Amino acid sequence: QVQLVESGGGLVRSGGSLRLSCVASGLALNMYSITWFRQAPGKEREFIAAIRGRDSATDYLESVRGRFTISRGGDPNTVYLQMSSLKPEDTAVYYCAARMGVVRSPMAYDYWGQGTQVTVSS
């Protein structure tokens, strides 16, 4: 019923840019917040950025603030993560997730996509 599908990952060099997309179905995005997480090998899943359903307020991990931008697309079922000035430490699988309201813990999220790999070479 509920599906989240990420796309846009790839291999880029340090300093490059990527735009990730999260396409949701079965959710009313005016009610659900959409959050991007990432998980690098051997590390816990980490909050990156979120956009709140009711007013599109945003929240960012400090290490990506100013480099990454989360936004809703013109098609209302899509959320983007524009990533610039990418660093090797940004390498991870990036996931989008949905819940009612924004929290930073991945344990609190109800729905997840399958992830898209972002690899940043030095």
Side-chain angles (χ1 to χ4, degrees):
Q1 180 68 33
V2 175
Q3 293 187 33
L4 302 173
V5 180
E6 305 93 338
S7 63
L11 174 63
V12 298
R13 292 183 176 179
S14 181
S17 298
L18 285 172
R19 189 190 196 191
L20 306 184
S21 298
C22 174
V23 179
S25 61
L27 293 174
L29 294 187
N30 64 336
M31 299 175 65
Y32 283 82
S33 299
I34 300 295
T35 301
W36 287 96
F37 292 85
R38 67 187 181 191
Q39 188 165 24
K43 296 185 178 181
E44 294 184 351
R45 197 162 294 191
E46 178 184 42
F47 168 87
I48 300 300
I51 186 162
R52 191 160 61 191
R54 65 178 174 87
D55 62 359
S56 296
T58 58
D59 187 29
Y60 295 93
L61 180 69
E62 288 301 319
S63 65
V64 308
R65 191 181 300 273
R67 298 191 297 122
F68 292 8
T69 301
I70 189 169
S71 62
R72 295 189 183 277
D75 45 337
N77 63 332
T78 302
V79 172
Y80 298 106
L81 184 68
Q82 177 68 47
M83 306 186 295
S84 62
S85 301
L86 284 162
K87 306 173 182 179
E89 53 262 44
D90 295 318
T91 295
V93 177
Y94 283 70
Y95 301 88
C96 62
R99 72 179 303 278
M100 298 286 287
V102 174
V103 299
R104 291 194 170 201
S105 172
M107 300 296 294
Y109 283 77
D110 301 309
Y111 306 108
W112 293 87
Q114 295 302 304
T116 185
Q117 176 71 48
V118 172
T119 302
V120 185
S121 62
S122 59

